[in-house]
Amino acid sequence: MSFEREDFGLLGPLHLNSIDWENSNHRRSIAASLVQGTYILERDRQEKRQGSQALAPPWWEFFHFKLIRQLVDDADSCVFGAIYEYAPPSSHCNDSIDQSPRYVIAFRGTINKPDSFSRDFSLDIHVIRNGLHQTSRFEIAMKAVQNMVAMVGDSNVWLAGHSLGAAMAMLAGKTIAKTGNFLEAFLFNPPFLSAPIERINYGNVKHGLRFASSVITAGLVLATKGNSQTSQSEDPFFILSAWTPCLFVNPTDHLCSEYIGYFEHRKKMEEIGYGAIERLATQNSLGDLFMSVVRRSAEATEPLHLLPSAYLTVNLTPSQDFKQAHGIQQWWRPDLHLKCNLYKYK
């Protein structure tokens, strides 16, 4: 039954009965659990589960968080996010608490249920069309992030999201980073809109396709924007590089797996002496550039999914199917086989 997949006592990370905030596995698991809490908040609303019947509270209360606000979509009144406050008992205070957040703002992804699917799916289309910034849901989310940062400072706020919610958190993080506020962010299975090159099993073929794509993209950038030189202090992509969100992807999830090749290819291009080409290509989307050519516009919309820097974690644990590879549940398992790399834009 569906409620069994929502019950913390059956599915949650019960092994985390003692939290070490300096442990990256604990931080990842808790962030994922808080995102799951936003999913279950909406499911509780849909199923009219209240009071002792509600299944959402254990997803944050187990880790000593309080729900201080639900983020509600103005189009269909669904819950798409939540703001949590960390409130541990004095007996749990230790040195590692310095690494804990004061507040976490979490966003869920798409729910395939009638009460929310129509609105969620329309947001998915906006992500595909690179228009998430134009939606009222994002405006509500962004306002909540800005208000919280203004109230407590950027070092006290975490962002977290899964799938569509990861896109929401990424866009909020990028937007506020441009004002000099860098939030710790946990982005689970964030969508990367590109041809699924990472699914090709032949390394040389993958590298050849990525190299060709980089050359074409860089050429289109020069054709549409010219060869004007921009100093690092004026380069938005370089300015954004100070923000290093944590990305969590699964290689068998075609919606996010391209982040693996995106960062690895950029490193390889630097190593073989084509860094200048890749620096142009890495911050531009081929699809958006083509559209700007068709529209005869000198400006292409900044691609949501492209990032200068990231701490990338890849789950190499075998997945049974796409649903498992894309699911939020994988990220609090204690037995994961993970590969982690830090990528910094230069």
Side-chain angles (χ1 to χ4, degrees):
M1 297 177 67
S2 61
F3 78 87
E4 294 178 344
R5 298 192 296 270
E6 301 166 357
D7 190 324
F8 182 86
L10 298 175
L11 190 65
L14 297 172
H15 60 282
L16 291 180
N17 49 23
S18 178
I19 302 171
D20 178 3
W21 287 105
E22 295 179 351
N23 185 317
S24 61
N25 293 323
H26 289 199
R27 291 152 67 90
R28 180 196 71 246
S29 299
I30 294 169
S33 296
L34 295 178
V35 173
Q36 177 73 347
T38 66
Y39 276 104
I40 311 306
L41 272 171
E42 171 57 16
R43 290 292 296 130
D44 281 346
R45 185 192 71 86
Q46 293 178 3
E47 297 296 325
K48 297 180 173 56
R49 298 186 298 232
Q50 299 179 354
S52 62
Q53 300 300 313
L55 297 179
W59 288 96
W60 57 82
E61 291 176 349
F62 185 82
F63 308 107
H64 308 293
F65 281 87
K66 296 190 301 183
L67 175 67
I68 62 171
R69 181 185 170 191
Q70 300 182 23
L71 300 178
V72 178
D73 195 298
D74 62 348
D76 65 354
S77 299
C78 73
V79 178
F80 70 87
I83 302 177
Y84 304 102
E85 180 183 10
Y86 185 50
S90 57
S91 60
H92 283 68
C93 291
N94 53 51
D95 292 339
S96 80
I97 203 170
D98 292 338
Q99 301 294 321
S100 67
R102 283 185 61 191
Y103 297 91
V104 178
I105 306 175
F107 306 102
R108 66 166 176 81
T110 302
I111 294 179
N112 297 320
K113 300 293 182 181
D115 286 353
S116 56
F117 179 73
S118 177
R119 175 61 170 165
D120 288 351
F121 183 71
S122 73
L123 271 291
D124 292 332
I125 298 300
H126 276 90
V127 172
I128 294 171
R129 298 176 61 185
N130 200 29
L132 186 61
H133 61 288
Q134 299 172 332
T135 66
S136 61
R137 180 182 290 189
F138 175 72
E139 291 177 1
I140 295 169
M142 192 67 233
K143 190 66 174 177
V145 173
Q146 290 170 330
N147 289 344
M148 189 58 65
V149 170
M151 183 172 67
V152 302
D154 60 356
S155 63
N156 293 306
V157 180
W158 284 9
L159 294 175
H162 173 248
S163 192
L164 170 60
M168 191 84 64
M170 182 182 295
L171 183 55
K174 290 176 70 172
T175 302
I176 206 160
K178 293 174 184 177
T179 68
N181 295 290
F182 305 109
L183 306 185
E184 187 150 358
F186 296 79
L187 310 177
F188 301 99
N189 303 81
F192 190 106
L193 306 176
S194 174
I197 299 175
E198 192 60 28
R199 300 183 70 184
I200 298 173
N201 293 324
Y202 302 99
N204 289 337
V205 175
K206 281 199 292 189
H207 177 61
L209 288 172
R210 294 193 191 282
F211 184 85
S213 176
S214 293
V215 171
I216 294 171
T217 301
L220 277 173
V221 171
L222 294 175
T224 57
K225 301 181 180 180
N227 194 24
S228 58
Q229 297 294 318
T230 302
S231 66
Q232 286 188 341
S233 62
E234 298 174 335
D235 180 0
F237 210 65
F238 180 80
I239 294 170
L240 186 59
S241 67
W243 182 53
T244 310
C246 299
L247 272 60
F248 301 90
V249 305
N250 190 308
T252 54
D253 175 7
H254 61 271
L255 294 181
C256 68
S257 62
E258 282 304 303
Y259 273 110
I260 302 170
Y262 172 72
F263 285 111
E264 288 183 350
H265 175 66
R266 195 168 75 189
K267 180 180 178 181
K268 184 173 292 186
M269 291 287 278
E270 289 282 352
E271 292 172 348
I272 65 177
Y274 289 94
I277 290 176
E278 189 57 24
R279 277 189 290 277
L280 282 176
T282 195
Q283 55 185 296
N284 292 277
S285 164
L286 191 56
D288 288 331
L289 286 170
F290 271 124
M291 290 304 298
S292 70
V293 170
V294 170
R295 295 192 301 264
R296 297 183 180 181
S297 169
E299 295 294 329
T301 304
E302 178 184 340
L304 163 63
H305 59 285
L306 302 186
L307 289 169
S309 304
Y311 190 80
L312 182 69
T313 298
V314 181
N315 182 11
L316 299 176
T317 310
S319 299
Q320 295 179 352
D321 50 30
F322 168 76
K323 184 176 181 180
Q324 186 180 77
H326 189 67
I328 186 68
Q329 295 89 350
Q330 66 186 296
W331 297 113
W332 60 70
R333 285 177 52 185
D335 57 346
L336 296 179
H337 178 200
L338 302 175
K339 177 183 178 182
C340 305
N341 284 294
L342 174 64
Y343 295 95
K344 295 292 289 185
Y345 180 73
K346 300 176 182 179

